[in-house]
Amino acid sequence: MEKEKKAIEELELKVELDESIKICRRKSEELVNNLKYCLESRDFEKFNDFFDPKAVLNRCNEEIIGRNLIKNYINDLYIDKELKLYKVRTLIDSNQRHIACEWVTRRRDLNSENEFEQGMASWYLKLSPNDYTVKTWYIWIDRIFEQRVANLDVPIPKESGWIPCPIQYYTRKEMSEFLRLRCQSFEDEDLELWGSYIHDDIVVRPPWNETVNKNCCIEGAKEFFNNYDCASISKMELLYDETIPNWCVYIQIFSATNRKTGKKGEDIDFVFNEIVDGKVRYWRSYFNANFNKIYTENNFNFFIETLSKCSKNPKNFEKKELDSSINNNNNNNNNININNNIIGSGKD
């Protein structure tokens, strides 16, 4: 009787937690859609309703504090711009109430431009524990991906050379420990150990349509340490989405010292990872786009560019066909993976 009672209580708790997750996801998605509507319509009348009074906006290292100032800043930034946002992926941590979004963006000046400037951007939102208002809003912009498009009818670009694997299960603790060990191995310049956390079929981006394999990562890391030392990686935030438990989304402070100049650089970076078999298989990074006087070196930028250069070397780059079984598994899982329409597809 006691066991039956305990089993019922555990089941009721699970149902309650599942319902709580559903509510959080629905309200989080509503918030993202409301912010998207305000930006696209240039209608900021209800903008303050979505923010905590002491909210903080960090857009490419420019920080604005207080929802009234944020509203004025965003209004001034976009009042004479036409902006369209096309969602690539959204991940939600219902426990922390954190949201990570990635967008393809198109923007033009209403007063002087006919063409649109197309790029990519990402958001990281931290919500209030008391309600679903924004406490902190980070915005990163991918300058590498920018290009001109004639109009909004031009098809939105899709990712190529990568298909997400079927979901594997990792706990929040396991994901956090994986990230800690990987960062520690890089700080220690132990590239053999660091390479063991890299999947053979890894894809590193930006730019969005560039494939970089494991050899490129290791050679790129060697080149990085030829130019920099005293590397330090500090995790600021880690988002764990219960519905995609093999995706790791985090914010890091990346710093190192230039060996030639002796100058130390530090930047805040935003990373999306797909983890497969305990290794990073997809690595999408955003780094600081605002090169002001505070940041004398942009280390993470240099590191990503180094990986890209290594990918041009035939010795490091071996084009591998994706396992057909992965394609088949993904097709078979379309009905059970609720995120297949989000991850890497450019669809909501």
Side-chain angles (χ1 to χ4, degrees), residues 76-141:
D76 292 344
L77 198 63
Y78 294 109
I79 194 62
D80 59 351
K81 303 288 191 304
E82 182 177 0
L83 175 68
K84 296 295 180 184
L85 299 169
Y86 305 87
K87 191 185 296 181
V88 177
R89 54 175 63 88
T90 299
L91 290 92
I92 299 169
D93 187 326
S94 59
N95 184 54
Q96 296 188 103
R97 294 194 181 181
H98 289 190
I99 309 169
C101 304
E102 191 174 15
W103 311 89
V104 172
T105 65
R106 286 179 174 174
R107 181 177 65 176
R108 73 181 179 98
D109 191 313
L110 292 170
N111 300 319
S112 61
E113 294 180 320
N114 292 321
E115 291 187 331
F116 287 82
E117 184 180 79
Q118 178 175 275
M120 294 193 71
S122 62
W123 298 355
Y124 193 95
L125 298 158
K126 298 169 63 176
L127 309 186
S128 169
N130 303 317
D131 52 31
Y132 287 87
T133 57
V134 178
K135 290 191 67 178
T136 308
W137 183 12
Y138 288 96
I139 299 176
W140 284 264
I141 297 174

Side-chain angles (χ1 to χ4, degrees), residues 51-57 64-67 70 134-137:
F51 289 84
D52 182 87
K54 297 181 180 179
V56 176
L57 168 65
I64 297 90
I65 301 175
R67 66 183 178 191
I70 292 173
V134 178
K135 290 191 67 178
T136 308
W137 183 12

Side-chain angles (χ1 to χ4, degrees), residues 178 182 194 196-204 214 217 248 250 271-284:
F178 172 82
R182 182 160 61 97
W194 183 74
S196 71
Y197 297 116
I198 305 298
H199 198 281
D200 288 342
D201 297 324
I202 190 171
V203 172
V204 179
K214 180 175 179 175
C217 289
C248 179
Y250 58 95
V271 181
F272 292 84
N273 281 166
E274 178 197 34
I275 311 301
V276 175
D277 299 331
K279 302 174 186 293
V280 180
R281 182 173 174 271
Y282 179 85
W283 184 355
R284 176 70 171 103

